[in-house]
Amino acid sequence: MNPVRLLRKLAAKILCRSKRQKAAADKMSPSQAVTIPYFWAPIIFLVLQSLAATFGALDLIVPDLPIPINLETGRAFHLNLSVLWPLLGCMGASYYFFVEESKSELHSTPLVVWQFRLFILTTVGILASLMFGCLRGMEYEEAAFPFHLGIAAVLVIFLYNLLRSYFKAAKTRGRITLLAILTGSILLLVLYLPNVFNYSQPTVSELVRFWVVHLWEELSKELILFGVLAALLLKVSTVQRDKLERILFVQLVLLIIGAIFATGHHYYWIGVPAFWQWIGGTFSVIQIIGIFLLCWILYLGLTHITWAEVDPGMRLTFGFITASVFYHLLGAATLGMLIAVPQINRYCSATYLTSAHAHFALYGAVGMLVQGICIYVLTRKAELSSKEYRHGWWGFALHNAGLLTMGSALTIAGILQTYLLRVTGLDFLTTSTLLRPYLFVRTLGGACFAAGALLYGRSILWCFWRNRHQYN
Amino acid sequence: MKPAEIWLICITLAALSLFALLIFSSLVRITPPMPPAAVAGSKLWREYGCMECHSLLSSGGYSALDLTKIISQRTEAELRQFFAQPPPMPPHSRRTHVGLTAEESEKMLAFLRYVNKIDTRNWPPPPLVEEKRSKERQNR
């Protein structure tokens, strides 16, 4: 079949509300009901993060803007949140779909509640300590020491609860979806622990930092999210378990091998031996094969769903999931692969191209998937009204238009910066002045992105709030 | 144990062990040892959040100059002067760069001197145009 026609048909099916659709009235087990806060909090954090980032972007281009927070604090605030709320969403999604797949309750529901409280306390603590200027020179992981222990404690509780639940559910042991979630959770903790400490030697600090900045995003969270996505598709579509699990297993193996060694693409110029250039470059290619498998999984899912019976919340969810796969292809595979080639990276690293890649791959690929899952769970017992549904899609459209504008402006700024600084040898200040128009477009994109998040976030959260009694 | 469990555990452990081995072989080759003044400077570098704007060893912020080889690019007197009387940061005309005391700036310089010695495989690269010109000169 003509791929364009296929895409159009699919889009029409996903977007159009049908009269035959069932109201969302899924059964929710007691263990699943306690995970609900894990899904509204990430939406609130995203809105907060995108608003803060818009002001930060303005501060870079408007002379003497009276902003009470200085740039380094604001940027740390933005970067820390970009790691923390997807983590919260991933943990919630793990619990929710673990119950779904293992067909049994979690080991302990009070632990789920306490883990959430500890996480929120730690996150608020981190953000507050940043306001007092507690920095430690590790991008994405800035915070005072006790808060690192807080995050580590959250991860220990999470892993303990999941492991106990896994061994309790004897019948479903060995399911690939469960194993994906479990492997991801183990790696979350293992990779985080060395990051609790500070390292004064800059090379060592960089070596360790990327176990969170790279491996959390491209390995642990992806393992969890692919497991969750497969579990979701097994629940809502007619795709065969055997087939999906086989693809998922191959994907997991590729992901584990590819992502672990592709960490090398962050190590090219930090003062380590040259073999990292070979390793980083080669394994970045293997990572991409995993992304093609993700496309296949999504295709199988979308074509095996009876769209006429699908509720509005799930339609919106699939919008986000499809967008996430698109950004996987654009930001992670295409842009990521290009800048991972050592010869290209030599000229373009530490320019706005890295920033463009981070926005597409960190938010576009991982964040969007988390947001999609959050929307799915929050609309299980609450039916979106037609106005909320419409606002949801408008928000989604604005959000994506914003992200694309922001990413494209940063890409152009990055290419220009590379050319001016590293090819022609223009000085830094003149280059920065020439880049200002693109940073202005980036700010507009950011504002659009934030407005979109606000619009769909408000619809989903309001719908959830109206029906909150149903979750108890 | 289920076969899928065994396979996943083996693959993950094998990949992680090999990765750890590579990391270890990189760690033992890190030279030269860091002098105490550089360690103190590193603490300052981290606590002032310099990395949020500047890049070092190819990562960090994008809005200010890369400082990996700054010691080879500016004189130390210039840098001391910069820390003592920090200039405004464009596009701002009033907001200035963070200033350092004389003691702090010595520590920071010790740290930057140390970073300058790290073998970054010729990163940041000299501008491509200059690189080509110098190659042509050599050929002649």
Side-chain angles (χ1 to χ4, degrees):
Chain A
M1 196 197 250
N2 181 348
V4 179
R5 260 182 65 195
L6 184 80
L7 281 176
R8 266 175 53 193
K9 251 176 97 177
L10 262 175
K13 273 184 184 173
I14 297 177
L15 285 164
C16 297
R17 255 184 117 163
S18 139
K19 281 175 191 152
R20 273 201 293 147
Q21 79 193 16
K22 291 181 211 155
D26 287 20
K27 273 189 215 145
M28 207 177 268
S29 79
S31 312
Q32 284 178 322
V34 292
T35 64
I36 295 300
Y38 286 75
F39 299 105
W40 52 254
I43 299 183
I44 297 175
F45 280 135
L46 169 70
V47 173
L48 191 71
Q49 183 200 347
S50 51
L51 287 175
T54 309
F55 284 108
L58 264 181
D59 193 33
L60 278 177
I61 48 170
V62 179
D64 298 304
L65 193 71
I67 282 186
I69 301 166
N70 56 27
L71 190 74
E72 51 275 24
T73 303
R75 185 166 179 266
F77 192 93
H78 172 63
L79 296 188
N80 270 28
L81 270 178
S82 75
V83 173
L84 288 172
W85 68 254
L87 173 67
L88 183 66
C90 279
M91 293 194 293
S94 301
Y95 280 142
Y96 189 92
F97 285 95
F98 207 87
V99 174
E100 203 72 66
E101 275 290 289
S102 69
K103 308 268 178 253
S104 66
E105 298 295 312
L106 289 174
H107 165 65
S108 156
T109 47
L111 267 186
V112 178
V113 178
W114 280 104
Q115 186 196 331
F116 177 76
R117 287 178 190 161
L118 183 59
F119 183 91
I120 294 295
L121 201 72
T122 312
T123 306
V124 172
I126 289 176
L127 298 181
S129 72
L130 285 180
M131 293 299 158
F132 290 106
C134 287
L135 296 168
R136 65 157 183 163
M138 273 183 145
E139 262 185 312
Y140 292 90
E141 307 168 57
E142 297 287 7
F145 184 69
F147 299 115
H148 291 289
L149 294 184
I151 296 286
V154 165
L155 292 173
V156 169
I157 298 174
F158 173 59
L159 182 60
Y160 171 77
N161 209 356
L162 272 189
L163 275 175
R164 288 296 294 265
S165 315
Y166 180 72
F167 289 113
K168 203 177 79 177
K171 271 187 205 160
T172 50
R173 258 187 74 174
R175 281 197 169 173
I176 309 295
T177 43
L178 296 180
L179 285 174
I181 294 175
L182 215 54
T183 318
S185 326
I186 295 171
L187 287 171
L188 274 180
L189 181 66
V190 171
L191 297 168
Y192 188 73
L193 285 180
N195 277 279
V196 170
F197 308 102
N198 295 334
Y199 303 90
S200 21
Q201 213 287 344
T203 306
V204 180
S205 178
E206 288 295 286
L207 275 172
V208 175
R209 190 168 70 91
F210 283 107
W211 300 349
V212 164
V213 179
H214 167 86
L215 282 173
W216 258 27
E217 301 299 326
E218 292 180 34
L219 181 63
S220 313
K221 288 181 188 172
E222 290 280 66
L223 280 171
I224 291 179
L225 288 170
F226 291 166
V228 164
L229 180 64
L232 172 70
L233 291 178
L234 285 170
K235 182 176 161 64
V236 302
S237 76
T238 54
V239 62
Q240 284 171 332
R241 177 175 286 277
D242 287 356
K243 193 174 176 183
L244 194 64
E245 283 201 331
R246 234 174 293 147
I247 305 173
L248 185 65
F249 188 77
V250 177
Q251 198 184 11
L252 296 188
V253 173
L254 283 174
L255 197 64
I256 291 170
I257 297 173
I260 288 182
F261 294 105
T263 316
H265 62 224
H266 295 282
Y267 292 168
Y268 294 164
W269 325 110
I270 66 167
V272 290
F275 63 70
W276 284 109
Q277 296 188 4
W278 287 100
I279 295 174
T282 315
F283 284 88
S284 301
V285 181
I286 294 183
Q287 269 191 308
I288 293 182
I289 307 172
I291 294 177
F292 289 125
L293 288 181
L294 175 69
C295 297
W296 189 13
I297 290 183
L298 178 75
Y299 169 77
L300 279 179
L302 291 183
T303 47
H304 283 79
I305 291 175
T306 322
W307 285 102
E309 293 173 354
V310 168
D311 61 87
M314 205 162 92
R315 285 170 192 270
L316 210 50
T317 299
F318 274 95
F320 275 86
I321 293 175
T322 313
S324 153
V325 175
F326 168 72
Y327 292 114
H328 266 98
L329 281 173
L330 178 75
T334 314
L335 192 56
M337 183 61 233
L338 267 177
I339 63 173
V341 176
Q343 289 81 350
I344 299 178
N345 189 281
R346 179 158 183 247
Y347 291 97
C348 74
S349 63
T351 66
Y352 282 104
L353 261 178
T354 317
S355 178
H357 165 66
H359 282 84
F360 279 142
L362 228 74
Y363 181 71
V366 178
M368 282 258 179
L369 206 49
V370 173
Q371 291 288 317
I373 305 287
C374 290
I375 294 172
Y376 172 79
V377 176
L378 291 179
T379 53
R380 277 322 81 203
K381 283 188 173 284
E383 175 89 21
L384 284 170
S385 71
S386 56
K387 192 179 160 200
E388 283 160 353
Y389 180 61
R390 219 172 40 243
H391 282 181
W393 276 119
W394 274 112
F396 173 78
L398 267 178
H399 198 52
N400 278 283
L403 184 57
L404 282 172
T405 312
M406 191 156 53
S408 318
L410 284 171
T411 308
I412 298 172
I415 294 173
L416 211 65
Q417 198 181 15
T418 308
Y419 179 74
L420 295 175
L421 268 183
R422 306 257 164 83
V423 177
T424 66
L426 199 67
D427 70 291
F428 192 86
L429 281 181
T430 321
T431 308
S432 301
T433 316
L434 290 173
L435 293 183
R436 228 166 274 161
Y438 302 95
L439 296 186
F440 176 70
V441 177
R442 184 269 290 264
T443 314
L444 286 184
C448 184
F449 176 91
L454 211 59
L455 191 60
Y456 84 75
R458 201 196 63 140
S459 299
I460 302 295
L461 293 176
W462 179 241
C463 165
F464 165 71
W465 185 249
R466 272 193 294 118
N467 299 284
R468 63 191 180 283
H469 53 272
Q470 300 215 23
Y471 288 89
N472 297 323
Chain B
M1 288 264 270
K2 307 268 176 188
E5 284 176 3
I6 298 171
W7 272 107
L8 267 186
I9 290 174
C10 289
I11 291 167
T12 314
L13 278 182
L16 278 182
S17 328
L18 192 57
F19 183 67
L21 202 71
L22 291 172
I23 293 280
F24 181 74
S25 79
S26 312
L27 283 178
V28 292
R29 277 188 241 180
I30 289 177
T31 46
M34 215 171 165
V39 175
S42 160
K43 193 161 182 274
L44 281 180
W45 166 269
R46 289 183 284 115
E47 285 171 2
Y48 274 116
C50 308
M51 210 182 188
E52 299 296 333
C53 300
H54 292 283
S55 54
L56 194 77
L57 301 179
S58 83
S59 62
Y62 324 101
S63 53
L65 196 62
D66 178 83
L67 298 182
T68 312
K69 299 288 171 196
I70 193 75
I71 293 288
S72 323
Q73 293 157 353
R74 304 272 198 285
T75 64
E76 294 202 2
E78 275 176 335
L79 294 174
R80 278 194 194 95
Q81 172 71 17
F82 184 92
F83 291 135
Q85 286 168 335
M89 291 180 293
H92 309 296
S93 54
R94 283 197 299 273
R95 209 186 300 167
T96 55
H97 189 274
V98 176
L100 298 179
T101 63
E103 195 191 342
E104 282 179 327
S105 64
E106 285 316 310
K107 286 179 187 165
M108 189 61 90
L109 282 176
F111 174 65
L112 291 174
R113 245 178 264 134
Y114 175 76
V115 174
N116 190 50
K117 278 190 223 148
I118 295 177
D119 174 19
T120 54
R121 321 226 143 253
N122 201 11
W123 196 92
L128 202 62
V129 186
E130 276 175 32
E131 219 174 18
K132 273 197 176 160
R133 254 183 235 147
S134 64
K135 262 185 200 164
E136 277 170 11
R137 251 177 259 141
Q138 277 171 10
N139 288 345
R140 270 180 224 154

